[in-house]
Amino acid sequence: MSLKIKILSEDLANRIAAGEVVERPASIVKELVENSIDAGATRIQIGTQAGGKMSILVADDGCGMSREDALMCIQRHATSKIATDEDLEAILTLGFRGEALPSIASISHMTIETKEPGETAGTRLVVEGGVLKNTSDTGRDVGTTVTVRHVFFNTPARRKFLRTPETEFRHIVQAVTQLALCHPSIAFVLSHNDREALHLSRHDSTYARLCAVFGASFMKEMLRVSFDQEDAKGEGFFGRPDVARGSRLRQMIFVNGRPVVSRFLNYAVYTGYGGLLSKETYPPFVVFLSIDPKEVDVNVHPTKREVRLSNEREISKLLTEKVKGALRTDAVSSDGREDRLPPRIEVGERAGGYRGRKGELQTSLSFAPPQPRERRSQEEHVSLWQVHNTYVFAQVKSGIIILDQHVAHERVLYEEAMEHFSGHTSTGQQLLFPLSIELSPPEIEIIEEIRPLLQHMGFGIRAFGRNSVVVDAIPSGLKRWRNGQMLVDMVDQMAKEGHITSGLKEKLAASYSCHGAIKAGEKLSPDEMQTLIDRLFATSEPFVCPHGRPTLVRVSIEDLNRWFGR
Ligand code: ADP
Ligand code: MG
């Protein structure tokens, strides 16, 4: 039997191609918003239901389309943006392939409503699985509204791969935020299930937009560099190494108004930081490059996420130098800076070598009421010994045990968290002064996603602004809250997990325990050591931490006897 080669039907080919452009609802939102930007919109409104799986609506006040164009735009390779080879060599718009709308239409139920200036009636098209079902007049203002429902309705396998609505929506917020940062003069409103997640009015500068997204006080702490050379202009904002975070959510590089993923440019920035970063930390940075479009190839990736620059090496070098220079100048000029600045949140181990400069940053407040414990006899304390502020030696009946204080505490906190999730909700400890924590919209989405679980733990997260949350209670007894930094660390870690559909409780409990636990190097009082041991042995699995590392090793009296030849 020989294999038979057939040409795919256009419908099937479209659906396959759709997979390249449409990875998930966020890619649909990105393509539609890009079209609105290309159409000269000043205001773009995005509404999503169920993480975009149910529906996505993008409405703009751009140039709109004539009926003829509207009918054209759902055909493959129909684009108004390039016409000649030369055009392809210097792309000035976000779109250019004429692929997005037909691809999206082929895997969904799509409605397009649009009106050009000067027309009396607008056009309404209904398309199902790429097939035009209806064309009619519609009354509307100039502009375009595209509604996409039932994504992947005809490719169930792909639909299955979609994550929870919350996770899908997080990707949408991230995509919209990035485009919004590149286009400050356009107003953006994004809502999810009728809750507004992002509301950006028109801004007159990139900096104003950055402040609206990340918060003004965060931006004030960023180092700013700019350069203006013949072949490349650029502006960048870089966080000092000591504000490095646990995820890449705040690392963004834009080339000509387009968010890009570029290993080269990323590497260039990191090289600028040199050895100042400790492992697994990600300094925040936002870089805007404008480069002669002739030097930029955006046609290398189906979603245009990757770009190739012909002068990549020079630009990388320039970027590295700029980052290095800014950090050096800052380090030299910032002696005594501490007096002028508001107190900073302690960043724990992250700070690496850079932290010394600021000395001890802030003593973490202990919100736990002093435990009214009975004083133990001196005798009991003698059998507890902390070594190198990291390990606790304790005498037990059969010999000695050696605890890793961090790992042991992790196990304790992990179990407490899991217990709270399973119904024993903690009442939490009210904070004397509710604390407002500044977060970006994608980060707020993560909080939103885990908020019910946080509440079980005893966190009171009272209000959701678009840029901040207010925390008015924390789990009682939690000592390493570090004035909010702990919550930020947890958000970062959840962001790094990417898809947190399965095992969310376990992941959150692990993150909580990791960031809330005593660290190696912390001095413990005899009471604290005793409490740690008591609580550890009250857990269901005292011998391993949530990540599988041992919490303690045992040395039996027989071992000791054997070692000494007794
Ligand atoms: P591309 O953006 O690569 O040209 P698309 O499939 O995304 O391809 O869009 C096809 C064409 O439809 C665009 O070139 C543009 O002319 C038109 N179009 C799409 N969306 C809009 C919109 N929001 N406003 C005006 N015209 C639009
Ligand atoms: Mg497009």
Side-chain angles (χ1 to χ4, degrees), residues 341-377:
L341 290 177
R344 294 162 66 89
I345 290 172
E346 188 181 353
V347 284
E349 295 183 325
R350 293 266 170 69
Y354 221 63
R355 185 170 159 215
R357 181 161 67 79
K358 300 197 189 310
E360 269 315 303
L361 297 168
Q362 208 181 337
T363 47
S364 48
L365 296 171
S366 163
F367 298 100
Q371 301 264 343
R373 13 178 338 121
E374 48 188 289
R375 279 212 54 77
R376 285 163 197 281
S377 71

Side-chain angles (χ1 to χ4, degrees), residues 226-416:
S226 60
F227 51 89
D228 189 351
Q229 304 217 335
E230 204 181 318
D231 48 357
K233 274 204 234 326
E235 180 161 43
F237 301 85
F238 302 90
R240 298 185 178 85
D242 54 358
V243 298
R245 310 248 318 218
S247 87
R248 294 194 170 87
L249 270 184
R250 292 188 179 195
Q251 296 188 337
M252 303 176 183
I253 299 182
F254 304 104
V255 173
N256 295 352
R258 194 190 288 284
V260 298
V261 175
S262 160
R263 266 189 309 122
F264 256 99
L265 297 176
N266 232 44
Y267 185 73
V269 174
Y270 271 80
T271 311
Y273 279 91
L276 295 174
L277 296 170
S278 36
K279 202 166 68 181
E280 295 273 304
T281 66
Y282 308 98
F285 58 77
V286 187
V287 181
F288 301 90
L289 294 172
S290 35
I291 296 171
D292 182 346
K294 287 200 183 60
E295 311 291 333
V296 185
D297 186 0
V298 274
N299 204 6
V300 291
H301 190 273
T303 65
K304 302 164 282 183
R305 182 170 58 206
E306 284 164 31
V307 293
R308 205 172 288 139
L309 309 179
S310 60
N311 48 0
E312 208 150 49
R313 199 163 301 189
E314 294 81 66
I315 299 211
S316 295
K317 218 172 115 206
L318 191 65
L319 208 50
T320 301
E321 269 168 27
K322 289 288 170 188
V323 177
K324 209 182 265 176
L327 289 167
R328 202 184 307 123
T329 317
D330 176 59
V332 172
S333 68
S334 60
D335 284 348
R337 206 166 59 93
E338 213 56 12
D339 318 333
R340 290 183 281 116
L341 290 177
R344 294 162 66 89
I345 290 172
E346 188 181 353
V347 284
E349 295 183 325
R350 293 266 170 69
Y354 221 63
R355 185 170 159 215
R357 181 161 67 79
K358 300 197 189 310
E360 269 315 303
L361 297 168
Q362 208 181 337
T363 47
S364 48
L365 296 171
S366 163
F367 298 100
Q371 301 264 343
R373 13 178 338 121
E374 48 188 289
R375 279 212 54 77
R376 285 163 197 281
S377 71
Q378 195 57 27
E379 206 178 26
E380 263 178 293
H381 286 153
V382 174
S383 55
L384 286 173
W385 181 35
Q386 191 188 21
V387 177
H388 292 286
N389 288 345
T390 300
Y391 298 104
V392 176
F393 282 60
Q395 179 180 322
V396 292
K397 251 208 222 109
S398 60
I400 54 174
I401 54 171
I402 309 167
L403 255 70
D404 179 316
Q405 64 189 38
H406 172 68
V407 180
H409 197 202
E410 262 187 319
R411 164 55 66 189
V412 170
L413 293 180
Y414 180 82
E415 292 228 347
E416 284 179 359

Side-chain angles (χ1 to χ4, degrees), residues 30-36 38 78-79 81 94-101 104 304:
K30 172 181 171 288
E31 294 292 340
L32 297 180
V33 171
E34 286 187 352
N35 281 345
S36 298
D38 283 344
T79 179
K81 298 171 192 174
L94 292 169
F96 55 90
R97 291 205 192 99
E99 239 167 30
L101 287 180
I104 298 165
K304 302 164 282 183

